[in-house]
Amino acid sequence: MSSPVLSSDPPDDLARACIAGAARDPDADFSLPGWIYTDPEFFEVERDRVIRPSWQIVCHQNDVASPGDYRTIDYGGESVIVVRGDDGVVRAFANVCRHRAMRLVEGPAGCARKLVCPYHAWTYETDGRLTGVPMRGDYPALKLEQSGLAPVAIEVWRGFVFVRLEDGGFPSVAQMMAPYEAEVAPYRFEDMQRMGDLRVRPRAVNWKNVGDNYSDNLHIPVAHDGLTRIFGKSYGIAAQDWVDRMSGELVDRPSDNFWERFYQAHLPHLPHLPEQAQRRWLYYKLWPNMAFDIYADQIDFMQWLPVSATTCVLREMTYALPDAFTPPGKQREMKLLRYANWRINRVVNQEDTWLIERVQQGMASKTYGAGPIGRSEVCLRSFAVKIRTIIPEARQTHAPAPGWSKT
Ligand code: FES
Ligand SMILES: [Fe+2]
Protein backbone atom coordinates (compact mmCIF):
# COMPACT_ATOMS: atom_id res chain seq x y z
CA MET A 1 0.00 0.00 0.00
CA SER A 2 1.29 3.45 -0.80
CA SER A 3 1.19 6.25 1.68
CA PRO A 4 -2.31 7.80 1.76
CA VAL A 5 -2.53 11.51 1.09
CA LEU A 6 -5.23 13.19 3.16
CA SER A 7 -5.82 15.85 0.52
CA SER A 8 -7.40 15.27 -2.87
CA ASP A 9 -8.49 17.38 -5.83
CA PRO A 10 -11.29 19.91 -5.29
CA PRO A 11 -14.51 17.90 -5.71
CA ASP A 12 -16.81 20.65 -6.90
CA ASP A 13 -17.49 24.34 -6.99
CA LEU A 14 -18.89 24.48 -3.49
CA ALA A 15 -17.00 27.67 -2.78
CA ARG A 16 -18.69 29.45 -5.67
CA ALA A 17 -22.08 28.11 -4.57
CA CYS A 18 -21.56 29.57 -1.11
CA ILE A 19 -20.89 33.00 -2.59
CA ALA A 20 -23.73 32.83 -5.09
CA GLY A 21 -26.08 31.66 -2.34
CA ALA A 22 -25.68 34.95 -0.52
CA ALA A 23 -27.57 36.76 -3.28
CA ARG A 24 -30.60 34.48 -3.43
CA ASP A 25 -30.91 32.62 -0.15
CA PRO A 26 -34.65 32.43 0.65
CA ASP A 27 -33.80 32.15 4.35
CA ALA A 28 -31.40 35.08 4.38
CA ASP A 29 -33.43 37.02 6.95
CA PHE A 30 -33.27 34.17 9.49
CA SER A 31 -30.48 32.92 11.70
CA LEU A 32 -29.38 29.32 11.74
CA PRO A 33 -31.83 27.17 13.72
CA GLY A 34 -31.15 26.11 17.31
CA TRP A 35 -31.17 22.36 16.68
CA ILE A 36 -27.96 22.46 14.65
CA TYR A 37 -26.17 23.70 17.78
CA THR A 38 -27.07 20.56 19.72
CA ASP A 39 -27.73 17.73 17.25
CA PRO A 40 -25.09 14.93 17.24
CA GLU A 41 -25.93 13.90 13.69
CA PHE A 42 -25.54 17.46 12.37
CA PHE A 43 -22.26 17.62 14.24
CA GLU A 44 -20.90 14.63 12.31
CA VAL A 45 -22.04 16.04 8.98
CA GLU A 46 -20.47 19.44 9.57
CA ARG A 47 -17.27 17.84 10.84
CA ASP A 48 -16.96 16.10 7.44
CA ARG A 49 -18.24 18.91 5.19
CA VAL A 50 -17.06 22.01 7.05
CA ILE A 51 -14.24 21.32 9.51
CA ARG A 52 -12.14 18.63 7.84
CA PRO A 53 -12.01 20.47 4.47
CA SER A 54 -11.16 23.87 6.02
CA TRP A 55 -7.78 25.32 6.86
CA GLN A 56 -6.86 25.24 10.55
CA ILE A 57 -4.13 27.33 12.11
CA VAL A 58 -1.49 25.35 14.00
CA CYS A 59 1.33 27.74 14.90
CA HIS A 60 3.82 30.26 13.53
CA GLN A 61 6.81 29.08 11.54
CA ASN A 62 8.98 30.69 14.25
CA ASP A 63 7.45 28.21 16.71
CA VAL A 64 9.21 25.45 14.76
CA ALA A 65 12.41 27.35 14.08
CA SER A 66 14.93 24.47 14.16
CA PRO A 67 15.00 21.05 12.49
CA GLY A 68 12.97 18.59 14.55
CA ASP A 69 10.82 21.25 16.22
CA TYR A 70 7.19 20.23 16.06
CA ARG A 71 3.71 21.36 17.04
CA THR A 72 0.55 19.29 17.06
CA ILE A 73 -3.15 19.95 16.71
CA ASP A 74 -6.00 17.53 17.40
CA TYR A 75 -9.36 18.04 15.66
CA GLY A 76 -11.86 16.46 13.33
CA GLY A 77 -10.98 12.98 14.49
CA GLU A 78 -7.28 13.41 13.65
CA SER A 79 -4.04 14.40 15.30
CA VAL A 80 -1.68 16.32 13.00
CA ILE A 81 2.00 17.06 13.52
CA VAL A 82 3.73 20.06 11.95
CA VAL A 83 7.49 19.52 11.94
CA ARG A 84 10.51 21.27 10.46
CA GLY A 85 12.68 18.85 8.53
CA ASP A 86 16.46 18.64 8.55
CA ASP A 87 16.26 20.38 5.15
CA GLY A 88 14.52 23.38 6.75
CA VAL A 89 11.14 22.66 5.16
CA VAL A 90 8.04 22.71 7.39
CA ARG A 91 5.71 19.79 6.65
CA ALA A 92 2.56 18.33 8.15
CA PHE A 93 1.77 14.66 8.74
CA ALA A 94 -0.87 12.52 10.39
CA ASN A 95 0.40 11.82 13.91
CA VAL A 96 -0.19 8.12 13.28
CA CYS A 97 2.36 5.32 12.99
CA ARG A 98 2.03 3.30 9.77
CA HIS A 99 2.51 0.04 11.69
CA ARG A 100 -0.28 -0.28 14.26
CA ALA A 101 -1.58 3.31 14.24
CA MET A 102 0.07 4.42 17.48
CA ARG A 103 0.26 8.17 18.18
CA LEU A 104 3.84 9.12 17.43
CA VAL A 105 4.13 12.18 19.65
CA GLU A 106 2.24 13.45 22.66
CA GLY A 107 1.45 16.99 23.73
CA PRO A 108 1.26 20.28 21.86
CA ALA A 109 4.96 20.80 21.09
CA GLY A 110 8.42 19.28 21.21
CA CYS A 111 11.64 18.61 19.36
CA ALA A 112 12.85 15.29 17.96
CA ARG A 113 15.78 14.44 15.69
CA LYS A 114 13.76 11.46 14.53
CA LEU A 115 10.19 10.45 15.22
CA VAL A 116 10.42 7.12 17.02
CA CYS A 117 7.16 5.30 17.64
CA PRO A 118 6.74 4.45 21.34
CA TYR A 119 5.01 1.13 20.54
CA HIS A 120 7.51 -0.93 18.44
CA ALA A 121 10.15 1.70 17.67
CA TRP A 122 9.56 2.25 13.98
CA THR A 123 11.60 5.35 13.15
CA TYR A 124 10.64 8.19 10.82
CA GLU A 125 12.79 11.05 9.58
CA THR A 126 11.58 14.62 10.07
CA ASP A 127 10.61 14.65 6.38
CA GLY A 128 8.24 11.71 7.02
CA ARG A 129 10.33 8.88 5.53
CA LEU A 130 10.28 5.56 7.38
CA THR A 131 13.91 4.57 7.83
CA GLY A 132 14.03 2.23 10.81
CA VAL A 133 12.04 -0.96 11.48
CA PRO A 134 13.21 -3.46 14.11
CA MET A 135 13.12 -7.04 12.70
CA ARG A 136 12.51 -5.57 9.28
CA GLY A 137 12.73 -8.96 7.52
CA ASP A 138 9.75 -10.19 9.57
CA TYR A 139 7.19 -8.18 7.51
CA PRO A 140 6.57 -9.78 4.10
CA ALA A 141 4.30 -6.90 2.96
CA LEU A 142 6.42 -4.01 4.18
CA LYS A 143 7.79 -1.60 1.62
CA LEU A 144 9.80 1.00 3.49
CA GLU A 145 9.63 3.65 0.76
CA GLN A 146 5.82 3.44 0.67
CA SER A 147 5.31 3.55 4.41
CA GLY A 148 6.25 7.10 5.26
CA LEU A 149 3.98 9.23 7.41
CA ALA A 150 0.73 10.28 5.72
CA PRO A 151 1.20 13.86 4.52
CA VAL A 152 -1.37 16.54 5.36
CA ALA A 153 -1.86 19.65 3.20
CA ILE A 154 -0.08 22.72 4.56
CA GLU A 155 -0.23 26.45 3.85
CA VAL A 156 2.01 29.16 5.25
CA TRP A 157 0.40 32.59 5.18
CA ARG A 158 2.37 35.55 6.51
CA GLY A 159 4.39 33.24 8.75
CA PHE A 160 1.43 31.32 10.19
CA VAL A 161 1.15 27.60 9.48
CA PHE A 162 -2.22 26.10 8.55
CA VAL A 163 -3.21 22.52 7.77
CA ARG A 164 -6.18 20.93 6.04
CA LEU A 165 -7.32 17.32 6.32
CA GLU A 166 -9.24 17.14 3.04
CA ASP A 167 -9.87 19.38 0.06
CA GLY A 168 -13.51 20.42 0.00
CA GLY A 169 -13.09 23.24 -2.50
CA PHE A 170 -12.74 26.04 0.03
CA PRO A 171 -10.28 28.88 -0.68
CA SER A 172 -6.78 29.06 0.77
CA VAL A 173 -6.02 31.37 3.69
CA ALA A 174 -4.26 33.74 1.29
CA GLN A 175 -7.34 33.82 -0.93
CA MET A 176 -9.63 34.41 2.04
CA MET A 177 -7.47 37.26 3.32
CA ALA A 178 -6.82 38.81 -0.10
CA PRO A 179 -9.25 41.73 0.45
CA TYR A 180 -7.21 42.81 3.48
CA GLU A 181 -3.63 42.05 2.47
CA ALA A 182 -2.72 45.75 2.29
CA GLU A 183 -4.15 46.37 5.73
CA VAL A 184 -2.37 43.38 7.28
CA ALA A 185 1.06 43.84 5.65
CA PRO A 186 2.46 46.63 7.91
CA TYR A 187 1.93 44.53 11.05
CA ARG A 188 4.76 42.20 9.87
CA PHE A 189 3.22 38.96 11.05
CA GLU A 190 6.15 37.08 9.48
CA ASP A 191 8.58 38.59 12.00
CA MET A 192 6.50 37.87 15.09
CA GLN A 193 7.47 35.64 17.99
CA ARG A 194 5.22 33.77 20.35
CA MET A 195 4.53 35.34 23.75
CA GLY A 196 3.78 32.63 26.29
CA ASP A 197 2.31 29.17 25.87
CA LEU A 198 -0.54 27.78 23.88
CA ARG A 199 -3.82 28.25 25.76
CA VAL A 200 -6.50 25.59 25.38
CA ARG A 201 -9.76 26.29 27.16
CA PRO A 202 -12.85 24.06 27.07
CA ARG A 203 -16.23 25.67 26.48
CA ALA A 204 -19.64 24.07 27.04
CA VAL A 205 -20.99 25.37 23.74
CA ASN A 206 -21.29 24.27 20.13
CA TRP A 207 -18.36 25.67 18.14
CA LYS A 208 -20.65 27.80 15.95
CA ASN A 209 -21.80 29.75 19.00
CA VAL A 210 -18.25 31.00 19.56
CA GLY A 211 -17.95 32.17 15.96
CA ASP A 212 -21.41 33.74 15.85
CA ASN A 213 -20.62 35.72 18.96
CA TYR A 214 -17.17 36.71 17.70
CA SER A 215 -18.60 38.66 14.78
CA ASP A 216 -21.86 39.76 16.41
CA ASN A 217 -21.80 43.56 16.45
CA LEU A 218 -25.08 44.30 18.21
CA HIS A 219 -23.98 42.90 21.58
CA ILE A 220 -20.95 45.17 21.97
CA PRO A 221 -22.74 48.20 23.49
CA VAL A 222 -25.08 45.93 25.49
CA ALA A 223 -22.65 43.42 26.98
CA HIS A 224 -19.14 44.89 26.85
CA ASP A 225 -18.93 48.04 28.99
CA GLY A 226 -15.15 48.14 28.69
CA LEU A 227 -15.07 47.95 24.90
CA THR A 228 -17.78 50.57 24.76
CA ARG A 229 -15.72 52.88 27.00
CA ILE A 230 -12.60 52.56 24.86
CA PHE A 231 -14.22 52.42 21.39
CA GLY A 232 -17.06 54.93 21.89
CA LYS A 233 -19.36 54.44 18.91
CA SER A 234 -16.58 53.49 16.48
CA TYR A 235 -17.10 49.70 16.45
CA GLY A 236 -17.90 48.47 12.96
CA ILE A 237 -18.19 45.22 11.02
CA ALA A 238 -17.89 44.13 7.39
CA ALA A 239 -18.26 40.76 5.68
CA GLN A 240 -16.18 39.73 2.68
CA ASP A 241 -16.78 36.35 1.04
CA TRP A 242 -14.65 34.31 3.47
CA VAL A 243 -13.52 36.76 6.13
CA ASP A 244 -15.30 39.11 8.52
CA ARG A 245 -13.63 42.30 9.63
CA MET A 246 -14.43 44.02 12.91
CA SER A 247 -12.70 47.10 14.25
CA GLY A 248 -12.83 49.79 16.88
CA GLU A 249 -10.80 52.97 17.28
CA LEU A 250 -9.50 53.87 20.75
CA VAL A 251 -11.08 57.10 21.91
CA ASP A 252 -8.99 59.77 23.64
CA ARG A 253 -11.44 60.43 26.47
CA PRO A 254 -9.89 58.64 29.47
CA SER A 255 -11.83 55.60 30.65
CA ASP A 256 -12.76 55.43 34.33
CA ASN A 257 -11.32 51.90 34.44
CA PHE A 258 -7.64 51.79 35.47
CA TRP A 259 -6.26 49.34 32.90
CA GLU A 260 -8.28 50.82 30.06
CA ARG A 261 -7.03 54.29 30.99
CA PHE A 262 -3.48 52.98 31.26
CA TYR A 263 -3.70 51.44 27.81
CA GLN A 264 -5.19 54.60 26.28
CA ALA A 265 -2.45 56.74 27.80
CA HIS A 266 0.61 54.58 27.20
CA LEU A 267 0.17 53.09 23.75
CA PRO A 268 3.32 54.35 22.02
CA HIS A 269 3.47 55.53 18.42
CA LEU A 270 4.90 52.58 16.49
CA PRO A 271 6.93 53.60 13.43
CA HIS A 272 6.20 50.43 11.43
CA LEU A 273 2.43 51.02 11.48
CA PRO A 274 0.48 53.58 9.42
CA GLU A 275 -1.36 56.36 11.26
CA GLN A 276 -4.79 54.75 10.99
CA ALA A 277 -3.51 51.53 12.63
CA GLN A 278 -1.87 53.16 15.65
CA ARG A 279 -4.96 53.18 17.87
CA ARG A 280 -7.11 50.60 16.10
CA TRP A 281 -8.20 47.24 17.45
CA LEU A 282 -8.78 45.05 14.44
CA TYR A 283 -10.36 41.61 14.27
CA TYR A 284 -10.61 39.16 11.39
CA LYS A 285 -12.72 36.04 11.51
CA LEU A 286 -11.80 33.50 8.86
CA TRP A 287 -14.01 30.72 7.60
CA PRO A 288 -15.09 28.72 9.42
CA ASN A 289 -13.68 28.82 12.99
CA MET A 290 -10.61 30.96 13.52
CA ALA A 291 -9.74 34.58 14.14
CA PHE A 292 -6.94 37.07 14.51
CA ASP A 293 -7.20 39.81 17.15
CA ILE A 294 -4.81 42.50 15.97
CA TYR A 295 -3.58 45.30 18.21
CA ALA A 296 -0.73 47.69 17.63
CA ASP A 297 1.14 46.03 20.51
CA GLN A 298 0.44 42.33 19.83
CA ILE A 299 -1.82 39.88 18.03
CA ASP A 300 -3.65 36.74 19.09
CA PHE A 301 -4.95 33.90 17.05
CA MET A 302 -7.93 32.00 18.32
CA GLN A 303 -9.76 29.01 16.92
CA TRP A 304 -12.76 27.19 18.27
CA LEU A 305 -12.38 23.49 17.60
CA PRO A 306 -15.47 21.28 17.77
CA VAL A 307 -15.33 18.46 20.31
CA SER A 308 -18.96 17.35 20.43
CA ALA A 309 -22.31 18.82 19.42
CA THR A 310 -22.39 20.84 22.63
CA THR A 311 -18.72 21.34 23.49
CA CYS A 312 -15.63 22.85 21.90
CA VAL A 313 -12.17 24.07 22.87
CA LEU A 314 -10.70 27.50 22.34
CA ARG A 315 -7.08 27.25 21.16
CA GLU A 316 -5.13 30.49 21.35
CA MET A 317 -1.63 31.92 21.10
CA THR A 318 -0.25 35.45 21.37
CA TYR A 319 2.48 36.89 19.17
CA ALA A 320 4.38 40.17 19.04
CA LEU A 321 7.25 41.76 17.19
CA PRO A 322 10.70 41.64 18.83
CA ASP A 323 11.73 44.57 21.04
CA ALA A 324 13.60 46.20 18.15
CA PHE A 325 10.25 47.33 16.75
CA THR A 326 9.36 49.18 19.96
CA PRO A 327 10.64 52.79 20.12
CA PRO A 328 13.88 53.11 22.17
CA GLY A 329 13.27 53.41 25.89
CA LYS A 330 9.68 52.19 25.62
CA GLN A 331 10.28 48.45 26.03
CA ARG A 332 9.27 48.31 29.68
CA GLU A 333 6.21 50.41 29.00
CA MET A 334 5.28 48.07 26.15
CA LYS A 335 5.41 45.12 28.55
CA LEU A 336 3.00 46.83 30.90
CA LEU A 337 0.84 47.84 27.98
CA ARG A 338 0.53 44.23 26.87
CA TYR A 339 -0.42 43.32 30.41
CA ALA A 340 -3.10 46.04 30.32
CA ASN A 341 -4.34 44.62 27.00
CA TRP A 342 -4.61 41.18 28.65
CA ARG A 343 -6.49 42.62 31.64
CA ILE A 344 -8.97 44.41 29.39
CA ASN A 345 -9.57 41.42 27.15
CA ARG A 346 -9.77 38.96 30.05
CA VAL A 347 -12.94 40.79 31.10
CA VAL A 348 -14.26 40.75 27.52
CA ASN A 349 -13.67 36.98 27.38
CA GLN A 350 -15.50 36.45 30.66
CA GLU A 351 -18.44 38.48 29.37
CA ASP A 352 -18.53 36.52 26.12
CA THR A 353 -18.28 33.17 27.91
CA TRP A 354 -21.23 34.11 30.08
CA LEU A 355 -23.23 35.01 26.98
CA ILE A 356 -22.47 32.03 24.78
CA GLU A 357 -23.10 29.48 27.54
CA ARG A 358 -26.57 30.92 28.00
CA VAL A 359 -27.23 31.06 24.27
CA GLN A 360 -26.18 27.40 24.10
CA GLN A 361 -28.73 26.53 26.79
CA GLY A 362 -31.40 28.42 24.85
CA MET A 363 -30.53 26.66 21.61
CA ALA A 364 -31.44 23.37 23.31
CA SER A 365 -34.99 24.59 24.02
CA LYS A 366 -37.74 22.97 21.96
CA THR A 367 -39.42 26.40 21.86
CA TYR A 368 -36.64 27.90 19.74
CA GLY A 369 -36.56 27.51 15.98
CA ALA A 370 -34.63 30.22 14.15
CA GLY A 371 -34.53 33.92 14.97
CA PRO A 372 -34.85 36.93 12.69
CA ILE A 373 -31.59 38.46 11.60
CA GLY A 374 -31.02 42.17 11.04
CA ARG A 375 -29.80 43.72 7.79
CA SER A 376 -26.79 45.10 9.62
CA GLU A 377 -25.78 41.67 10.89
CA VAL A 378 -23.75 41.00 7.76
CA CYS A 379 -21.30 38.58 9.36
CA LEU A 380 -23.98 36.33 10.85
CA ARG A 381 -25.72 36.37 7.47
CA SER A 382 -22.55 35.46 5.64
CA PHE A 383 -21.82 32.46 7.88
CA ALA A 384 -25.42 31.22 7.89
CA VAL A 385 -25.75 31.22 4.10
CA LYS A 386 -22.60 29.12 3.76
CA ILE A 387 -23.79 26.55 6.29
CA ARG A 388 -27.21 26.39 4.57
CA THR A 389 -25.52 25.92 1.18
CA ILE A 390 -23.21 23.17 2.42
CA ILE A 391 -25.82 21.40 4.61
CA PRO A 392 -29.31 22.18 3.24
CA GLU A 393 -31.02 20.58 6.28
CA ALA A 394 -29.93 23.71 8.17
CA ARG A 395 -32.92 25.40 6.49
CA GLN A 396 -35.28 23.37 8.69
CA THR A 397 -36.26 25.14 11.87
CA HIS A 398 -36.49 21.90 13.85
CA ALA A 399 -34.46 18.69 13.75
CA PRO A 400 -35.44 16.11 11.11
CA ALA A 401 -36.02 12.53 12.27
CA PRO A 402 -32.76 10.82 13.30
CA GLY A 403 -31.02 9.19 10.38
CA TRP A 404 -31.63 12.19 8.07
CA SER A 405 -28.02 12.37 7.01
CA LYS A 406 -27.92 8.71 5.95
CA THR A 407 -30.85 8.84 3.51
S1 FES B 1 2.60 1.03 16.13
FE1 FES B 1 4.31 2.22 15.73
S2 FES B 1 5.94 0.85 15.68
FE2 FES B 1 4.22 -0.39 15.97
FE1 LIG C 1 -18.32 39.80 22.68
Side-chain angles (χ1 to χ4, degrees):
M1 270 175 69
S2 65
S3 177
V5 177
L6 288 180
S7 266
S8 56
D9 292 327
D12 54 32
D13 57 354
L14 183 66
R16 274 195 297 280
C18 286
I19 305 307
R24 49 159 204 259
D25 185 347
D27 301 312
D29 292 332
F30 289 94
S31 70
L32 293 170
W35 71 271
I36 72 169
Y37 293 74
T38 61
D39 188 74
E41 196 168 345
F42 194 91
F43 175 80
E44 285 183 19
V45 173
E46 69 185 1
R47 182 193 60 205
D48 293 344
R49 296 190 207 167
V50 176
I51 298 298
R52 290 183 60 101
S54 295
W55 291 99
Q56 296 296 331
I57 191 164
V58 180
C59 60
H60 193 286
Q61 57 190 6
N62 290 340
D63 295 328
V64 286
S66 305
D69 284 351
Y70 66 82
R71 287 254 156 199
T72 63
I73 183 172
D74 293 1
Y75 73 100
E78 305 280 355
S79 177
V80 176
I81 177 168
V82 165
V83 57
R84 189 177 293 274
D86 295 338
D87 56 0
V89 177
V90 178
R91 299 177 179 85
F93 302 103
N95 183 12
V96 178
C97 180
R98 295 295 305 279
H99 179 215
R100 298 282 302 134
M102 177 70 185
R103 280 266 184 281
L104 282 175
V105 300
E106 291 276 308
C111 183
R113 299 303 302 178
K114 292 176 189 290
L115 299 167
V116 181
C117 180
Y119 203 177
H120 314 99
W122 284 27
T123 300
Y124 302 85
E125 304 301 314
T126 50
D127 60 7
R129 282 176 301 130
L130 175 64
T131 52
V133 175
M135 296 167 48
R136 186 173 155 186
D138 194 40
Y139 302 89
L142 175 63
K143 290 197 173 71
L144 224 56
E145 64 286 358
Q146 293 178 3
S147 302
L149 296 176
V152 175
I154 192 167
E155 178 182 359
V156 178
W157 173 78
R158 294 202 170 275
F160 285 101
V161 180
F162 300 79
V163 296
R164 185 187 57 188
L165 299 172
E166 291 157 18
D167 191 341
F170 296 131
S172 67
V173 177
Q175 287 168 332
M176 290 196 284
M177 285 301 295
Y180 296 118
E181 280 295 336
E183 184 170 53
V184 169
Y187 288 94
R188 306 182 69 125
F189 286 3
E190 298 89 337
D191 297 321
M192 288 187 165
Q193 300 282 347
R194 187 165 43 83
M195 314 271 293
D197 291 331
L198 172 77
R199 302 183 297 279
V200 178
R201 297 181 290 164
R203 288 285 180 270
V205 305
N206 179 277
W207 67 279
K208 297 188 293 300
N209 256 329
V210 180
D212 290 349
N213 178 66
Y214 189 89
S215 50
D216 178 301
N217 56 319
L218 297 180
H219 82 285
I220 304 292
V222 182
H224 293 309
D225 291 346
L227 292 183
T228 305
R229 283 191 293 268
I230 60 173
F231 291 155
K233 293 188 189 316
S234 68
Y235 193 82
I237 65 169
Q240 297 284 343
D241 289 343
W242 299 97
V243 59
D244 298 335
R245 177 190 183 280
M246 284 64 67
S247 69
E249 317 290 332
L250 294 186
V251 298
D252 292 330
R253 191 165 65 87
S255 166
D256 55 17
N257 170 280
F258 176 80
W259 288 112
E260 294 165 14
R261 199 165 62 246
F262 182 93
Y263 190 92
Q264 286 174 304
H266 293 271
L267 183 62
H269 188 277
L270 296 168
H272 66 279
L273 289 178
E275 261 337 287
Q276 69 269 19
Q278 294 289 340
R279 296 177 72 77
R280 172 175 291 164
W281 282 14
L282 177 62
Y283 309 86
Y284 294 116
K285 182 189 143 196
L286 284 75
W287 167 262
N289 64 332
M290 55 187 173
F292 286 100
D293 303 342
I294 303 172
Y295 315 98
D297 49 297
Q298 66 183 55
I299 71 168
D300 301 312
F301 81 64
M302 177 168 90
Q303 68 204 138
W304 35 101
L305 293 168
V307 174
S308 73
T310 54
T311 59
C312 66
V313 291
L314 305 186
R315 183 175 179 275
E316 303 168 287
M317 282 201 259
T318 300
Y319 295 84
L321 287 171
D323 276 352
F325 288 90
T326 301
K330 296 273 185 188
Q331 271 91 3
R332 193 182 131 69
E333 201 170 334
M334 185 60 112
K335 244 184 153 162
L336 277 170
L337 190 86
R338 287 175 180 147
Y339 178 73
N341 180 321
W342 177 76
R343 288 292 297 250
I344 297 167
N345 280 300
R346 188 177 64 160
V347 175
V348 177
N349 287 334
Q350 287 164 349
E351 291 163 345
D352 279 328
T353 302
W354 187 85
L355 289 169
I356 59 177
E357 286 177 353
R358 279 145 189 82
V359 169
Q360 181 67 34
Q361 289 161 7
M363 292 293 193
S365 167
K366 286 196 168 35
T367 66
Y368 186 76
I373 197 165
R375 283 198 187 88
S376 68
E377 296 182 274
V378 290
C379 301
L380 285 173
R381 284 170 173 259
S382 166
F383 183 76
V385 75
K386 289 185 188 64
I387 293 291
R388 286 192 288 257
T389 304
I390 296 163
I391 311 175
E393 285 81 2
R395 296 187 185 283
Q396 302 186 25
T397 51
H398 289 86
W404 58 267
S405 66
K406 313 284 191 294
T407 55

